[in-house]
């Protein structure tokens, strides 16, 4: 019976360690900015700016000593005036964030064909994740 209680106590103690606090990735803000083609009035390219932050509410110096490689993927939906078809571009990029509780901005750019007259652009999907920690 004592052995069972000791095992139960060890499980209880180590289960608290298993759910220990860890920093989390947050998307703080986004901004989509498109550049117009001077000749046909459509868009040449667009840049999505993503403000990213590794939040550590425990303010542990342990997590502040790491570098976090964060990768983001975005789907840009756009309309072409010539065909009126909805099209998509898939883009991805990464950034390194040194430490926690600091905001860094990642910019993902997408370019359009010079033969397309792009007049409406939006981002339909955005996902970011911590790819590596070192």
């Amino acid at each position: 019976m004592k052995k069972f209680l000791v095992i139960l106590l060890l499980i209880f103690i180590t289960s608290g360690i298993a759910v220990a606090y860890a920093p989390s990735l947050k998307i703080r803000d986004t901004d989509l900015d498109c550049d117009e083609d001077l000749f046909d009035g459509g868009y040449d390219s667009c840049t999505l700016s993503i403000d990213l932050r590794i939040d550590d509410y425990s303010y542990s110096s342990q997590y502040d000593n790491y570098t976090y490689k964060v990768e983001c993927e975005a789907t840009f939906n756009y309309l072409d005036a010539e065909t009126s078809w909805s099209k998509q571009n898939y883009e991805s990029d990464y950034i390194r964030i040194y430490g926690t509780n600091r905001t860094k901005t990642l910019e993902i750019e997408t370019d359009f064909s010079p033969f397309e007259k792009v007049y409406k652009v939006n981002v339909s999907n955005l996902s970011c994740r911590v790819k590596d920690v070192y």
Side-chain angles (χ1 to χ4, degrees), residues 17 41 58 62 69 72 81 92 94 104 120 125-126 134:
I17 295 170
S58 71
Q62 168 193 354
K69 181 179 177 184
C72 294
S92 67
Y94 71 91
K104 294 230 17 190
K120 185 176 183 180
N125 188 28
L126 173 63
Y134 44 95

Side-chain angles (χ1 to χ4, degrees), residues 5-56:
L5 289 176
V6 170
I7 291 172
L8 190 60
L9 182 62
L10 283 175
I11 290 173
F12 179 74
I13 291 170
T14 57
S15 68
I17 295 170
V19 294
Y21 178 80
S24 61
L25 175 65
K26 300 287 184 193
I27 297 175
R28 307 287 285 188
D29 196 14
T30 60
D31 182 46
L32 181 63
D33 184 38
C34 297
D35 295 325
E36 266 190 66
D37 185 324
L38 297 176
F39 300 110
D40 69 7
Y43 295 126
D44 278 337
S45 65
C46 291
T47 302
L48 176 65
S49 298
I50 310 159
D51 291 342
L52 299 164
R53 181 179 169 104
I54 304 288
D55 278 334
D56 174 18

Side-chain angles (χ1 to χ4, degrees), residues 68-82:
Y68 302 85
K69 181 179 177 184
V70 178
E71 182 179 75
C72 294
E73 298 174 345
T75 304
F76 295 86
N77 290 335
Y78 63 96
L79 295 175
D80 178 2
E82 301 295 323

